[in-house]
Structures are given as C-alpha cells and as structure tokens.
Amino acid sequence: MKEPCVDCDKCEELLQPFLDRDLTESERIEAEAHLSGCAYCNTRYRFEEDLRRFVHQAASERCPEQLKQRLAELAREA
C-alpha cells in the first residue's frame, strides 16, 4: 500500500462527511474518485465503515441483566 499523498489530505477531510452522506454532489464525486484510485484511503474508508457498523451493532444489542447488575456493583465499589 502506498503512502498518503496531497490528495489524501483532502480525502481525510471528506471521509466522515462522506460516511455520513453529508457532502455536496461535487464533493461526493471527488471523494469517490479518490477512493477508487487510492489504496491507502480506500483501506481507511473500509476501516471506518466497518467500525461504524460494529459500533451500531454493539449499541443495538441488549446488555444481559447479570452484566448490568455486576457493572452497578463495580460502580458502587469505586
């Protein structure tokens, strides 16, 4: 994988808004063009996308009651 380039700095600025789908049409096209040709930024993009998916999944799972009780006990002991 190659090192980041000058265009990677711009892509870095656009990455989170791109994932949030909060870019103008021209910014989206610019980000997609860069991601399609830059292995470095594409790897970062896939990591961020996977991380978001993991956090969303973890946040939507119910915490077992036994774990909640244990965490409450630990909080009281602290």
Side-chain angles (χ1 to χ4, degrees):
M1 179 169 51
K2 74 176 186 84
E3 292 297 313
C5 64
V6 175
D7 289 339
C8 295
D9 292 338
K10 177 66 174 177
C11 190
E12 176 75 24
E13 292 174 23
L14 297 176
L15 188 58
Q16 295 303 320
F18 182 78
L19 287 162
D20 292 336
R21 297 183 178 141
D22 192 27
L23 294 177
T24 65
E25 182 69 12
S26 62
E27 289 172 327
R28 183 188 61 76
I29 290 169
E30 180 181 4
E32 287 176 349
H34 184 78
L35 289 170
S36 70
C38 179
Y40 179 83
C41 287
N42 193 282
T43 299
R44 292 217 35 192
Y45 167 75
R46 286 193 319 258
F47 172 81
E48 292 290 336
E49 188 177 47
D50 289 345
L51 179 61
R52 283 177 177 226
R53 190 176 307 111
F54 174 77
V55 168
H56 182 266
Q57 179 183 359
S60 65
E61 292 180 7
R62 293 188 53 93
C63 183
E65 191 59 40
Q66 187 177 16
L67 178 58
K68 285 182 188 178
Q69 291 172 359
R70 181 65 183 133
L71 291 172
E73 290 170 12
L74 289 172
R76 285 190 294 272
E77 293 173 8

